[in-house]
Amino acid sequence: MATVTRAQATTPRRTNALGVHSLNRFVFTVPDLAPAEAFYRSFGLDARRDGDRLDLYTQGHPHCWGSIHANGQPKRLQYLSFAAYAEDFDALAQRVRGAGAADAHPLSDGRGAWTRDADGTAIQVVVGPKVSPAVKSAHAQEPPPAAGKGAAPNRSAAAPVRPRRLSHVLLFSPDVPRQTEFYERVLGLRLADRSGDVIAFMYGPHASDHHMVAFAKSEAPGLHHSSWDVGHFDDVGLGAELMKAKGYVNGWGVGRHVLGSNYFYYVQDPWGSWAEYSYDIDFVPEDVEWPAADHPAEDSFYIWGPSVPDDFVVNREQPRTA
Ligand SMILES: [Fe+2]
């Protein structure tokens, strides 16, 4: 009898759970695309220019993970798009519109169901492929090098850093518990872990990383960072050095988080927010209920790594007037 193993299941489903399965896209605006193009290409993404828009792909992957539009204004988060299984869409769309139907964002493709989250950020739900992981992301070298021979390449032979996929985004929020409640009730995400009302991490019900969306307390909404999965611990350090060599000298890391367990390096982007190289983040299968807990912030931010830069949690997006 044929048995479908977890590794073969590309569309895992949690029993009796209605919710989105993936963060489909994050979209923000910047004053000018040229610095965006230079930054994300240096970071290792396949950044494709189309007029006033820059689309963020990972090398060799068909999915567009993010779009950046130029509008001459300071950087600003515009909307998040989530994807659901086709058989869930009607029920989800009803719930999304029931939370307060909104017009499609003018920078979007106009598809799907729209609402606004608890902070007023536009949210799109569409039918789309599951691009969040269905299984724990593997180390790039499987199996690891055997004993009896050197594992590290010469410095000159180190492969370029090529993130494999988007892992998550972290948004600023003036009210983290209110956002958490919205994403759980409307989109079906689940709380993984939190630190009081200061930070919260949410995973997808149908298998995902420990967080596909997270929120950090601030005076206003905003995009704090996007996080990109790499296939090797070396890529975190190599990426850090590569970005420094290209002039992107402000960063935080290399270190290891407690909540999510990933190894990280954050590099500051041209607008004062961050892009993260992430390796080996925790994974929540569709048949596991993550034991959500409230952790003391000082003991759960990172296990080891350099001191946190003073401007790491500075929100440079201005409070919204409308
Ligand atoms: Fe992160």
Side-chain angles (χ1 to χ4, degrees):
M1 192 174 76
T3 305
V4 177
T5 66
R6 181 184 301 285
Q8 292 169 311
T10 55
T11 56
R13 162 172 289 283
R14 183 179 299 267
T15 310
N16 297 325
L18 179 65
V20 298
H21 58 58
S22 300
L23 173 59
N24 179 52
R25 193 164 302 172
F26 68 106
V27 179
F28 63 104
T29 44
V30 297
D32 175 12
L33 281 189
E37 196 168 357
F39 177 80
Y40 285 106
R41 287 212 174 128
S42 298
F43 189 79
L45 300 186
D46 176 8
R48 302 180 194 170
R49 184 80 173 259
D50 184 355
D52 284 338
R53 193 182 78 233
L54 186 72
D55 291 330
L56 303 180
Y57 291 79
T58 42
Q59 310 277 343
H61 196 298
H63 192 72
C64 175
W65 305 100
S67 292
I68 308 168
H69 298 252
N71 67 355
Q73 302 294 313
K75 176 218 152 206
R76 176 163 293 221
L77 173 66
Q78 294 293 336
Y79 71 93
L80 294 184
S81 175
F82 291 88
Y85 293 130
E87 62 267 30
D88 292 338
F89 181 76
D90 288 348
L92 258 178
Q94 194 173 12
R95 212 162 66 186
V96 164
R97 294 183 184 117
D103 291 337
H105 194 287
L107 295 175
S108 76
D109 57 12
R111 296 166 53 224
W114 287 84
T115 187
R116 289 187 177 275
D117 71 13
D119 289 345
T121 298
I123 300 292
Q124 177 188 40
V125 176
V126 294
V127 174
K130 179 169 166 61
V131 291
S132 64
V135 294
K136 166 97 174 144
S137 291
H139 187 285
Q141 290 170 289
E142 293 287 350
K149 63 178 191 176
N154 282 356
R155 191 177 178 120
S156 59
V161 177
R162 298 279 183 255
R164 300 185 291 189
R165 60 178 176 82
L166 178 70
S167 171
H168 58 269
V169 294
L170 189 148
L171 307 185
F172 288 118
S173 171
D175 192 332
V176 171
R178 187 179 66 175
Q179 278 286 70
T180 308
E181 187 278 333
F182 175 93
Y183 281 74
E184 188 164 338
R185 172 172 51 85
V186 179
L187 299 179
L189 300 189
R190 296 180 172 216
L191 181 69
D193 286 296
R194 68 187 173 97
S195 289
D197 66 351
V198 175
I199 193 159
F201 301 93
M202 304 195 79
Y203 63 96
H206 304 305
S208 84
D209 288 339
H210 172 271
H211 42 288
M212 71 163 68
V213 179
F215 305 104
K217 192 172 176 62
S218 176
E219 68 280 3
L223 174 63
H224 177 269
H225 76 264
S226 58
S227 178
W228 303 84
D229 173 79
V230 293
H232 198 293
F233 181 50
D234 272 342
D235 289 340
V236 180
L238 284 168
E241 295 307 314
L242 204 133
M243 291 303 273
K244 285 177 199 162
K246 295 200 174 186
Y248 302 104
V249 295
N250 295 331
W252 180 42
V254 173
R256 190 181 191 195
H257 281 303
V258 174
L259 303 180
S261 306
N262 55 313
Y263 301 88
F264 63 81
Y265 180 79
Y266 295 84
V267 55
Q268 193 164 38
D269 67 26
W271 318 282
S273 43
W274 309 83
E276 178 184 19
Y277 294 108
S278 167
Y279 172 65
D280 208 20
I281 194 167
D282 289 333
F283 176 75
V284 187
E286 72 281 9
D287 56 356
V288 168
E289 198 75 47
W290 190 265
D294 185 3
H295 303 261
E298 66 281 2
D299 198 31
S300 62
F301 194 20
Y302 62 116
I303 313 172
W304 56 264
S307 302
V308 185
D310 288 342
D311 61 350
F312 189 67
V313 286
V314 172
N315 184 357
R316 298 174 198 266
E317 296 188 37
Q318 298 300 308
R320 299 168 187 179
T321 52

